[in-house]
Amino acid sequence: EKGTYPHYMLKEIDEQPFVIRRIIQKYQDDNGELAIDKAIINEVLNADRLYIVACGTSYHAGLVGKQLIESWAKIPVEVHIASEFSYNMPLLSEKPLFIFISQSGETADSRAVLVQTNKLGHKAITITNVPGSTLSREANYTLLLHAGPEIAVASTKAYTAQIAVLAILAAAAAKAKGFELDFDLTKELAIVANVMEMLCDAKEEMENIASDYLTLTRNCFFIGRAVDYYVCLEGALKLKEISYIQAEGFAGGELKHGTIALIEDGTPVIALATQEHVNLSIRGNVKEVVARGANPCVISMRGLEGDGDRFIIPAVHPDLTPLVSVVPLQLIAYYAALHRGCDVDKPRNLAKSVTVE
Ligand code: F6R
């Protein structure tokens, strides 16, 4: 039920703080510590490499997950688009473990890979929102998102739920390997939930950004470096799928290798700046596009803000920024689609769950 909300998408964006709090609750063990089923952790410890397989938004969550697992648990991770996997099958390591990420648990492209890896005798975990879904039944283990039904075609709360569960998995694997993390993930996720709530309250600012930058434009670019780049891919996907604006996410450093040719007078460029180690470089990229006429919209993290930034996100743990930086991008996409008269919840040519390969 969407209740008083005009669209499911807006309701689902607003649910994100509650979903994060529910995930914290659901993944707490008897001592109140975030934990993952022992059998799953044992599989992770036994593996020499993790292979994340997913499509669309779930693939984008996987990219963030790779970053978290590699930096916290020091386990190598590859992330693959499911539809490419079977003919571009990577050379597998000796002890691979597969992680399928799928909101619906029904995506045919992902399932095709699971059928293949099952045949090869490799173990698999499915991270899904739907208990009893095909991918859940056919994998050895399931981690649930607890996000509640996602009705809008554009995925929002499932993306942040996927990243939160991947963070808990990464932290649990790190702990099992004897690595001390220098922060308390429960506390940091609770901060994330609070910041998400503040961002959900910033709808008017996001609506203004959508009308200032996206009412008439043909295209829009999202640029970021490090983990911001992955969030840019997701921000661009959100915008293109519901507003039909041609939107692309780029790594800041790649601009000069070709994409910058597309920048014209007034081209909107949304830049994310939440990462201290690349802050100077991404701001350099913003200057480069501005010099070519772009209309820049910088969204930064408190502590890293610069003159003229359009919006500043309250600070969260630097590894967890995707959980919050995506929220403004979801809202901007929502309002852009709304202003352009698009059917937000049911965009053309798309189905909620893609059950054909
Ligand atoms: C984008 C979107 C799609 C899905 C993709 C995978 O908003 O919803 O890109 O993320 O079709 O779907 P699941 O996660 O159900 O496998």
Coordinates of all heavy atoms in Angstrom, one line a residue, residues 55-58 102-104 107 153-155 237-238 241, ligand 1:
C55 N 22.7 -8.1 -11.8 CA 22.3 -7.2 -12.9 C 21.9 -5.9 -12.4 O 21.4 -5.8 -11.3 CB 21.1 -7.8 -13.7 SG 21.3 -9.5 -14.1
G56 N 22.1 -4.9 -13.2 CA 21.5 -3.5 -13.0 C 21.9 -3.0 -11.6 O 23.1 -2.9 -11.2
T57 N 20.9 -2.5 -10.9 CA 21.2 -1.9 -9.6 C 21.9 -2.8 -8.6 O 22.7 -2.4 -7.9 CB 19.8 -1.4 -9.0 OG1 19.4 -0.3 -9.8 CG2 19.9 -1.0 -7.6
S58 N 21.5 -4.1 -8.7 CA 22.1 -5.1 -7.8 C 23.6 -5.2 -8.1 O 24.4 -5.4 -7.2 CB 21.4 -6.4 -7.9 OG 20.1 -6.3 -7.5
S102 N 20.3 -10.3 -5.8 CA 19.1 -10.1 -6.6 C 17.9 -9.7 -5.7 O 17.5 -10.5 -4.9 CB 18.7 -11.4 -7.4 OG 17.5 -11.2 -8.1
Q103 N 17.4 -8.5 -5.9 CA 16.2 -8.1 -5.1 C 15.1 -9.1 -5.2 O 14.6 -9.6 -4.2 CB 15.8 -6.7 -5.6 CG 14.7 -6.0 -4.8 CD 13.3 -6.6 -5.0 OE1 12.6 -6.9 -4.0 NE2 12.9 -6.7 -6.2
S104 N 14.7 -9.4 -6.4 CA 13.6 -10.3 -6.7 C 13.9 -11.8 -6.4 O 13.0 -12.5 -6.1 CB 13.1 -10.1 -8.1 OG 14.1 -10.5 -9.0
T107 N 15.7 -13.1 -11.3 CA 16.3 -12.6 -12.5 C 16.9 -13.7 -13.3 O 17.8 -14.4 -12.8 CB 17.3 -11.5 -12.2 OG1 16.6 -10.4 -11.5 CG2 18.0 -10.9 -13.4
V153 N 9.3 0.1 -10.1 CA 10.3 -0.6 -11.0 C 11.7 -0.2 -10.6 O 12.7 -1.0 -10.6 CB 9.9 -0.4 -12.4 CG1 11.1 -0.7 -13.4 CG2 8.7 -1.2 -12.8
A154 N 11.9 1.1 -10.4 CA 13.2 1.6 -10.1 C 13.6 1.2 -8.6 O 12.9 1.5 -7.7 CB 13.3 3.1 -10.2
S155 N 14.7 0.5 -8.5 CA 15.1 -0.1 -7.2 C 15.7 1.0 -6.4 O 16.6 1.7 -6.8 CB 16.0 -1.2 -7.5 OG 16.4 -1.8 -6.3
L237 N 21.7 5.4 -13.7 CA 20.7 4.4 -14.0 C 19.3 4.8 -13.5 O 18.3 4.7 -14.3 CB 21.1 3.0 -13.4 CG 20.1 1.9 -13.7 CD1 19.9 1.6 -15.2 CD2 20.6 0.6 -13.0
K238 N 19.3 5.3 -12.3 CA 18.0 5.8 -11.8 C 17.4 6.9 -12.7 O 16.2 6.8 -13.0 CB 18.1 6.4 -10.4 CG 18.3 5.5 -9.2 CD 17.1 4.6 -8.9 CE 17.1 3.3 -9.7 NZ 17.8 2.2 -9.2
E241 N 16.3 5.5 -16.3 CA 15.2 4.6 -16.4 C 13.9 5.2 -16.1 O 12.9 4.8 -16.7 CB 15.4 3.3 -15.5 CG 15.4 3.6 -14.0 CD 15.6 2.3 -13.2 OE1 15.1 1.2 -13.7 OE2 16.2 2.3 -12.2
Ligands
F6R1 C1 17.0 -0.7 -11.7 C2 16.5 -2.1 -11.5 C3 17.2 -3.2 -12.2 C4 17.4 -4.4 -11.3 C5 17.9 -5.6 -12.1 C6 18.2 -6.7 -11.2 O1 16.3 0.2 -10.9 O2 15.6 -2.3 -10.7 O3 18.4 -2.8 -12.8 O4 18.3 -4.0 -10.3 O5 16.9 -5.9 -13.1 O6 17.0 -7.1 -10.5 P1 17.1 -8.1 -9.3 O7 17.9 -7.4 -8.2 O8 15.7 -8.4 -8.9 O9 17.9 -9.3 -9.7

